[in-house]
Amino acid sequence: MSDRLKALEQAGLLERRRYQLRPERHEYVPTEKGRDIGLLMLAMVQIGDKWRADGGGERPLRFFHSQTGHDLSLSPVDAGTGELVDACNILAEPGAGRTSR
């Protein structure tokens, strides 16, 4: 487990912080990059819950707002209007940062 934590720290996903001097103890907290990866996890869990093979039952993992207790969900939002976008209206195209071959 310590090797995995070190790898996540080296990848910039976790930060090791000391929270106690005697005995010295540390905790691992997500960095900004790690929190962004958390959004990907939320999206995958949301899709898994929707298409779960067993057809129902209790969710194995629940994401919720720490202050309200309400469930969270990710949805595509138009950056200009703030309105939800239906999946059939989402398009993708190469961006300026693409590499040519």
Side-chain angles (χ1 to χ4, degrees), residues 82-94:
E83 295 179 15
L84 294 177
V85 177
D86 189 278
C88 66
N89 292 319
I90 298 174
L91 299 175
E93 65 183 5

Side-chain angles (χ1 to χ4, degrees), residues 19-54:
Y19 68 90
Q20 183 176 312
L21 285 173
R22 291 198 178 127
E24 187 169 328
R25 294 192 179 169
H26 295 85
E27 65 181 342
Y28 288 86
V29 295
T31 61
E32 182 180 0
K33 183 178 180 181
R35 289 187 298 275
D36 284 349
I37 295 293
L39 293 173
L40 180 59
M41 290 176 52
L42 173 56
M44 291 189 301
V45 167
Q46 184 174 320
I47 292 167
D49 287 348
K50 180 177 179 180
W51 297 104
R52 200 165 56 228
D54 65 10

